[in-house]
Every structure is written in structure tokens, then in C-alpha cells.
Amino acid sequence: MEFEAFTASALADYLGGIAEVRARLGDPDDLEVVEVGDGNLNFVYFVTNAKARERSVVVKQAPPFLRLVGKNWPLSCQRMDHEVAALRRFGALCPQHVPQVYHADGKRFLMVMQHLSSHRILRHGLMDGVTYPLMADHLSTYLAQTLFFGSDLYLAPDIKKQAVGGAVNAELCRITEDLVFTFPFEEHPSNVYSPALPKSALERLRTSDALRMAAADMKWAFMNHAETLLHGDLHTGSIMVNERETYVIDPEFAFYGPMGFDIGALIANLLLAYFSRDYHGRLDGGDPVAYQEWLLEQTTRIWNGFSAKFLALWRDHENRSGRPFIGGSADSRAVDAYRAHFMRRLLADTLGFAGCKMIRRIVGMAKVAEITRIPDAELRAQIEVRCLRCAEALLVQRNALTDIEDVVMLARDMARDALAQR
Ligand code: SR1
Ligand code: MG
């Protein structure tokens, strides 16, 4: 079927024709439709019953092109099928942190889902300096459950291989391969540099062999290490929060990839928030440091919480099955030694991916609001340089940074160094 963006009344009529959705929303004549999509890929509508505003849903529809660019960048609409399948899978694994899908229509490339009306996008909350007391606990649970239960540590080998095949998402993976791992490291026409960003900072991306090799290693891992079903785009714009709840949305980039890619995306975005706080935290004349420390504390709590929960799931599963992944008996010393080794390698991967994700948001085409909304070109460039230097250190030193406290210290040093240079 040809793609057609809905008019408000056509969408209301369409929803009225789906019994389950109509039961949630009520009479189509009472529906208010607002297009709110500010994302890079899709159309997103809030549909609300004007007479009973608690009755509302979100409708998400995939146009056959990249919305950020337009019809010149065609994309298949089947990406909506990936998103629906991933939401259902992650929803089964971690229902408290994944919105419900009420209806999916593969022919119209759309889905109808839970409206998180009392939550906001985490990126926006972080820009406003809001603290979320349960966020780190929730996100570490989400990561542990989704990453563990999709992997060979839990699934039978044949089931896992079927799952890998079923989750192939070549088109959207290609976007990541290009925009995250390739274009930022070359002179590519899609790159966008902020006006005062020093040439020397860009040159490092092209000329530092250690950095280039580290980024290439991460690209290889992304393309070849089918470890688990990933969200695939877990930045702070893919998370909705309030004081009590945390939801992970938008898994259209889901595929079987390396675990560290999701964790790294999240940590990268917390670090972007950390460095850009030097602007946002001074907006009301305040001192950014307290909130920056809160961001670093969340980074620590997310990694440490994830690590403890993931290891607990792993131990528990092996104790129940009596079959350690490495074979032999469950109480052998090698079992624990292997788990510790696995987590060290996963942290190194996480940091490498975090570095690539930070770099792409500074020099690539798809940027983040905490950076682009800094109006002073000089200050923006200073903050961007700090992000790039931190990203480079994460990539190059990823095997030497053996715990998350090292990462936090490194970020603090980068911020301090930069202050000293003023
Ligand atoms: C070309 S699409 C740009 C970016 O938007 C998504 O959120 C992904 O991060 C993608 O790389
Ligand atoms: Mg998205």
C-alpha cells in the first residue's frame, strides 16, 4: 500500500474502526489529534478524547523516508515492524519499563501505543536540571533484563540463532554504521560542524591512529558481535521519566548486537549532559557542579546496578539449570573468574561505544539539543571540545579503565582541565 500521512479526521476514523482502540478512546468525533513528532524518523500523534482527557493513545507511523532529511533519503516502512516486535519482546521481559502496544498495522506502517502523559523525555528533564530518584535503578534493571534474557547466557543455542535471524535490521543498522562509526571520522558532506569548533579538534578525528583504530574496532564489534537483542538507539531522547517511573521507547533500531552498545549510548548521553551543564546550569545564575555530580553519580549507579543485576540473573539461571555456560561444575573457581572477565570486557565495549556515540553527536548530522541550544558559539565549541576529548579518552583507554569510578574521574578531569585553559 502507498504511504499516506493521516489527516486528523482520517486518523480519528481509522482508530474508531479498531475495537480495542475505540474501547480505550471512545467516540471518534470526540478525538483531538496533535502531531508531535520531533524525532528524526517518524510521524507521532497524540490522540486524546477531548471530553475525557485521560483517555489517550500515541500513534506512531513510519513514512517511507527519513523525516530529518525528507524524500531524498528513502527508507522502508518495515522498520515499524522491527519496532513493534522489539517493544513486544522488551515489554515481555521488563513490562514496568516498556510502553504497551495496543495495536499494530503492518500495511499502514503504524502502531497505537500507551500514552505516557505524565512523563517527559529524559533529555529535556536533564537540560532543566531535574533529578529523578529512581531512574538509575530502573534503567539498570531494564538493561540487565533485556540484555541478559536475549543472550546465549540464557537462551538455548538454536532459539538464540533463530532470534538473531528474525531481528536482522540491515537498513537501520546501516544508518548507525555510517553515522556513528564512519562519517564522523572522515570529511563527509553529511557532517555538520559548529562554527567555532577548532580545526585541530576535527583533525584529531582524522589523524590520530589510536583513535581511528579504536573506533574501527567498535564498528567491527557492532557489525559482527550478535550478543543479544539491543534497543539500538538508547539515548536520553528514547527514555521517558517522572519521579516514580521510567520507560524506554522507540526501539526501531533493534537488532542482535553487542551488549555494550546500549549501555554505551546511555552513558554517552549522560556525559553529553554533564559537559553541556556548563551552559544549562548557569542559565539561572546557578552553579552547575552539584547537578554535574548528580549526573556522574547516575552514571556510576547505572553501570554498577546493571552489573550486579546482570550477574545475579546469570548466577540464578546457572544455579537453577545446574549448567554453567563454561561447562563443568557450578562451584568451580573458573565460573566466577569468567564472569568477572566477561564484565570487564563488557565495560571496555561500553566505553568504546560511548566514545563513538559522543563523537557522532558533535560532528555528525543528527545532533542533540543540550549542545545545539547553546547560543554562544565560543562556549558551545569549548563544550564540544571537552566532549570530543573525553570521547577519545574513552575509546583509546577503554581497556585500561577497569571500573566506572575511573570513568567518572576522567570526566571530572576533562571538565577541570578545560576550566583551567580558559
Ligand atoms: C539519520 S537518523 C539519525 C539518528 O536518529 C536516530 O535517533 C538514530 O540515532 C540515528 O542515527
Ligand atoms: Mg528514535
Side-chain angles (χ1 to χ4, degrees), residues 64-83:
F65 50 83
L66 186 75
R67 193 173 180 191
L68 179 68
V69 172
K71 294 190 175 156
N72 290 338
W73 189 324
L75 277 183
S76 89
C77 301
Q78 276 66 43
R79 64 185 187 275
M80 192 52 75
D81 298 340
H82 283 286
E83 181 159 357

